[in-house]
Structures are given as structure tokens and as C-alpha cells.
Amino acid sequence: MPAIIDLHSHTTASDGADTPSELIAHAYQAGINVLGLTDHDTTSGWDEASAALGGTHMTLIRGIELSAQVIDDIPGAIPRSVHLLGYLPDPEHPRLVEETVRIRRHRDDRLRLMVDKLSVDFDITWDEVAAHIPPGATPGRPHIAHILIEKGYFVDTTAAFAGPLRGDGEYHVPHYAPRLTTAISVISEAGGVPILAHPYTGERSGAVNHEAPLEQILRDYEVFVEAGLAGLEINHRENTEEGKRVLAQVALEFDLIVTGSSDFHGTKKPNHLGENTTAEDQLERILERASGSLPLS
Ligand code: AMP
Ligand code: ZN
Ligand code: FE
Ligand code: FE
């Protein structure tokens, strides 16, 4: 039987619902053989997840999902937020540490500002939000959603994101993130394998304009491939079907690694462990390329 390989998941170290130990237990129950742990902008969940592996016979691919942005070279361009998965980096590499500390600090400032704005119209305080963000965890909008749900304003995280937490809404505040080319080089220098997360989730999203003719899309991706981009997360529920076809052509053109994963967030998102998976030969390519840390089992 082929191994079930799911390379993208979150814990309470960022915006997942499960602690790292709970994630390992849930992945084991779901029959996952190889699990990627990829919290946003932190590796602080790695140790607890590693310690929980005992007796599961699972392999843990330690990773991160780095916040990044792409700013088109035209005056007044609005930055697009993108996510870069990095597999098996050295968690103590100075550039990686510096970049993640900076992102988390800005995320913290930004979340406080969002709570300030929200507190005009909703019964919410920063202390309430901060109380359920564990030390070292990456603060994000889902932490605000948690309080708004607890207070009965919304039924779930998705509803809160469709409401006041919208990226284009009046309460939204952006946060610092490195350019995608910088993020790719940070992950590479730390010995990790940079793979673009959910690259095409819809119109005007993602690292390039996917509505452009294929030749233009290939030229745009070439910049990231030259910066060291190693792969694309094609099989992800948020990529559109048309997007997946385009991305497959990009991967073919540049011989990129192709992954698939659930992007599991526990009860914070409907995604199920193992709903999308990665082929064994593609995992092999990641392992061959990685030099920052080791897979654990
Ligand atoms: P932030 O990083 O603070 O800007 O919040 C965005 C994060 O919240 C994303 O990385 C997702 O993991 C999560 N998220 C975004 N949209 C939703 C949604 N509709 N439902 C649940 N979680 C979401
Ligand atoms: Zn998330
Ligand atoms: Fe993401
Ligand atoms: Fe994610």
C-alpha cells in the first residue's frame, strides 16, 4: 500500500485547534504515514510534536509556512499575500530566526490594532484574545475569531472571516511579510525546501497573475524558480480546478516538485487530514534536497 503523505498542517503554535501532541494523535487515527507540520511563521510546535511520535510509526516532516508578499512592479500596486512552505529547514538559522521573529512581532502589533478597531462595534478586548494565544505562538485573525465565536457573534471561523475579519474589510490591518523572493532565499539558506502553498486560490490571488496567457505566467514564475522555488502545492482544496491545470503546466516546464496536502487546522477549518496527499516520489525529491534538519520517525 502506498504511504499516505500529508505535508501541511497547523497546531496551537499558530492558528490550528490541536496542540502538537493532539495533532500527532489525530494524524495517527486518520491513518497518515508521513505528516508535515507547517505552522505559520514559527517552529515552536516542533519539539512537542516530535516527542509525541513514539509508537505511532509515523514520519514527521518538520516545516513552516512563511508569510510572504508579492508586490507588482507598477506604481500603487497593492501587495498580494502569499504563503511559502519550507520543509526541513534548520530552525536556528539566523536569517530564518530573524525573519520569523520580525513577522510575529508585526503580527502581534497588527492584531492589537484590529482588536482596537473591532472593539468599537463588538464586545472584545485584547486581553481576551491574548489569553488563548500560547507563548511563542504566531498570532493571527483566527485568534480574534475564537473570541467573536465564544461571544456568540458568529457560528464558526469561516463565518467570522466572511464578516469583520475579511481581508478587504474596514477592520483589517495588514502586517509585515518579506517579499516572496526573500522568503524563498531565507528557507533555502536555512537548508529547507521552499514550496509555494496553495498557489492559485482564485482571481487576483497568488504570486503571479494566473489569468494571463500561459507564456506570461511561465515568465512570471521563472523569477521565483530562479530565486530557488522548488515546488508547488497543487493538490489543495483552495486551488481552483482551472488553477490546478495551469499549475501542472508550470511544474512541468520548470521540473518542480508537486505536493498535495490538507492544510489541516483542526476544528478551525473544515479541511480533513489526508484529504489531499503527496506522491512518494515527490516526497523523495524533498528529502534529497533538504539539508537543514532531518525527518523524524
Ligand atoms: P492572518 O494570518 O492573521 O492574516 O489570518 C489568515 C489565516 O487564517 C490563514 O492563513 C488561514 O489559515 C486562516 N483563515 C483564512 N481564511 C479562513 C477562513 N475562511 N476560515 C478559517 N480560517 C481561515
Ligand atoms: Zn492558518
Ligand atoms: Fe496558507
Ligand atoms: Fe496553512
Side-chain angles (χ1 to χ4, degrees):
M1 249 188 11
I4 301 179
I5 303 166
D6 185 343
L7 292 181
H8 184 162
S9 65
H10 296 268
T11 73
T12 48
S14 62
D15 57 2
D18 293 354
T19 63
S21 322
E22 287 165 349
L23 171 68
I24 296 297
H26 283 148
Y28 178 66
Q29 285 158 13
I32 304 295
N33 302 112
V34 181
L35 180 72
L37 169 61
T38 52
D39 275 306
H40 299 281
D41 308 311
T42 185
T43 59
S44 64
W46 282 19
D47 289 349
E48 186 186 321
S50 307
L53 277 181
T56 63
H57 302 286
M58 286 198 304
T59 298
L60 181 66
I61 306 295
R62 293 172 294 176
I64 190 166
E65 184 175 14
L66 211 55
S67 305
Q69 53 183 339
V70 175
I71 308 170
D72 291 333
D73 208 6
I74 37 175
I78 297 166
R80 291 193 303 278
S81 161
V82 294
H83 289 169
L84 183 71
L85 295 160
Y87 293 108
L88 300 168
D90 170 3
E92 284 167 11
H93 188 279
R95 269 195 86 193
L96 182 60
V97 172
E98 186 194 341
E99 206 51 69
T100 51
V101 165
R102 186 169 173 203
I103 298 170
R104 291 201 305 272
R105 200 176 58 235
H106 282 249
R107 278 176 158 284
D108 194 273
D109 294 345
R110 164 269 198 156
L111 219 61
R112 287 169 194 262
L113 287 172
M114 284 191 67
V115 172
D116 269 357
K117 288 184 164 199
L118 284 158
S119 68
V120 175
D121 298 315
F122 298 87
D123 171 27
I124 188 168
T125 66
W126 173 248
D127 286 347
E128 291 166 340
V129 175
H132 71 104
I133 306 178
T138 301
R141 280 179 280 166
H143 293 113
I144 299 180
H146 184 94
I147 301 299
L148 294 176
I149 294 161
E150 210 169 69
K151 299 216 170 168
Y153 290 112
F154 299 96
V155 290
D156 58 19
T157 312
T158 303
F161 268 83
L165 299 183
R166 275 195 327 274
D168 60 354
E170 57 179 308
Y171 305 103
H172 190 260
V173 178
H175 64 82
Y176 163 80
R179 284 184 183 254
L180 180 57
T181 45
T182 305
I184 291 169
S185 83
V186 168
I187 294 292
S188 304
E189 279 180 34
V193 182
I195 295 193
L196 195 58
H198 42 72
Y200 184 19
T201 58
E203 216 179 319
R204 283 188 289 280
S205 77
V208 313
N209 173 15
H210 290 97
E211 308 293 312
L214 183 63
E215 300 75 52
Q216 183 63 47
I217 293 175
L218 292 174
R219 272 197 296 278
D220 290 346
Y221 265 106
E222 194 166 17
V223 175
F224 303 117
V225 174
E226 275 170 8
L229 184 69
L232 300 175
E233 185 186 51
I234 297 185
N235 296 308
H236 183 291
R237 66 155 70 204
E238 285 166 32
N239 289 327
T240 66
E241 289 310 312
E242 168 60 13
K244 288 178 191 176
R245 282 190 286 276
V246 171
L247 293 167
Q249 288 177 284
V250 177
L252 192 66
E253 173 73 18
F254 298 112
D255 191 25
L256 296 173
I257 299 168
V258 171
T259 67
S261 32
S262 65
D263 201 355
F264 180 71
H265 283 68
T267 53
K268 302 262 183 197
K269 271 191 168 183
N271 312 27
H272 297 293
L273 281 160
E275 67 176 30
N276 281 296
T277 57
T278 298
E280 285 179 60
D281 61 335
Q282 300 302 302
L283 174 62
E284 276 311 313
R285 293 178 68 184
I286 292 173
L287 298 180
E288 275 163 23
R289 195 160 165 147
S291 62
S293 54
L294 292 169
L296 296 178
S297 46

